[in-house]
Structure formats: structure tokens, C-alpha cells
Amino acid sequence: MSRVLGLVGSGAGGVEDLLPRVTQPLQADGWTVAVTLTPTAGRWLDENGGRAEIKEAIGTLDLPVVVFPRVNAAHARHPSWETHIDALRRAGVRLVYGDDVWPLHEPRSAPGRYLPWSAVLSVVNAAVPPPG
């Protein structure tokens, strides 16, 4: 049985890398990958009920959820940011987050930065080991 990944890509940048750096490597390892691309994930989720689906995924027993919050230092300074991160961790969400994988920079101060796709893939593969 194939491992399945539901992947949501937003307009936050990096979508152009999803095929070569995420989807194709996972497919080469036997994954089935279902990709949803949105210009702005927040608006799309509001309009299409996706937030409820994500909340359901987080609350579903034995369903691993991996999140890479592509944020900058300004986002992380928001007063509720750490509360949100802590809530995701308590819910068992595997976060690809921290200075070791995505050091935070001020807005627009790190152009051309590569996203930590290898770290994302490592967490996804660890969350759903190969069948056997």
C-alpha cells in the first residue's frame, strides 16, 4: 500500500519548488502525493471550508500532520504566535520549525533563500514510515 501525502501550497513563496523538491522525490520513494495549490491559503481555506478540514486532520487519531510555517521574524513576534505553535505541538503536529531549519529574518531581508525542503521531507518520512 502506498503512503499518501496531502500537500497544501500557498502563495507565500516556494510553490515553484513543490514539484522538483517535494512531489517528485516522494513519488520516487513510492508516495502518492495529492497537491492543492492556492494563491493565498488563508483566503482559500476560508472560502472553501479548508480550515475545518485542517482542524479535522489535526484531531484525527493516527493521522500524522506535518507543518512548515513559512514565517519571518515579524510574524513570530506577534503576541499569539508562540501560543499557536504550542497548541500545534500539544496536538501532536510535527513542526518543521526553528533556527536549525528556518532561521527567522526580518521581512524582505533574505531574498533568494531556499526553503528547507530536505528537512520537510525528513519529517514527513519519519512521520509515515514505509510499509513493511
Side-chain angles (χ1 to χ4, degrees):
M1 181 173 180
S2 175
R3 295 182 287 174
V4 178
L5 174 69
L7 178 63
V8 178
S10 76
V15 170
E16 65 279 0
D17 290 333
L18 289 180
L19 181 64
R21 295 185 182 239
V22 179
T23 304
Q24 289 174 336
L26 287 172
Q27 288 173 328
D29 286 342
W31 285 81
T32 298
V33 181
V35 179
T36 298
L37 299 177
T38 65
T40 54
R43 187 183 82 228
W44 180 88
L45 292 171
D46 281 341
E47 292 171 358
N48 295 291
R51 285 191 183 183
E53 292 170 8
I54 291 172
K55 288 177 184 176
E56 182 178 333
I58 290 171
T60 300
L61 298 175
D62 300 322
L63 179 65
V65 176
V66 176
V67 172
F68 165 57
R70 188 188 187 283
V71 298
N72 60 42
H75 294 131
R77 283 192 296 268
H78 188 280
S80 63
W81 177 252
E82 285 303 320
T83 303
H84 293 302
I85 291 295
D86 291 343
L88 290 171
R89 286 186 175 125
R90 283 192 314 275
V93 172
R94 291 158 177 91
L95 291 169
V96 182
Y97 179 71
D99 286 338
D100 55 329
V101 291
W102 188 251
L104 299 179
H105 293 276
E106 292 304 316
R108 293 166 291 287
S109 69
R113 228 171 120 192
Y114 288 105
L115 297 175
W117 295 123
S118 61
V120 172
L121 291 175
S122 292
V123 174
V124 166
N125 279 305
V128 185

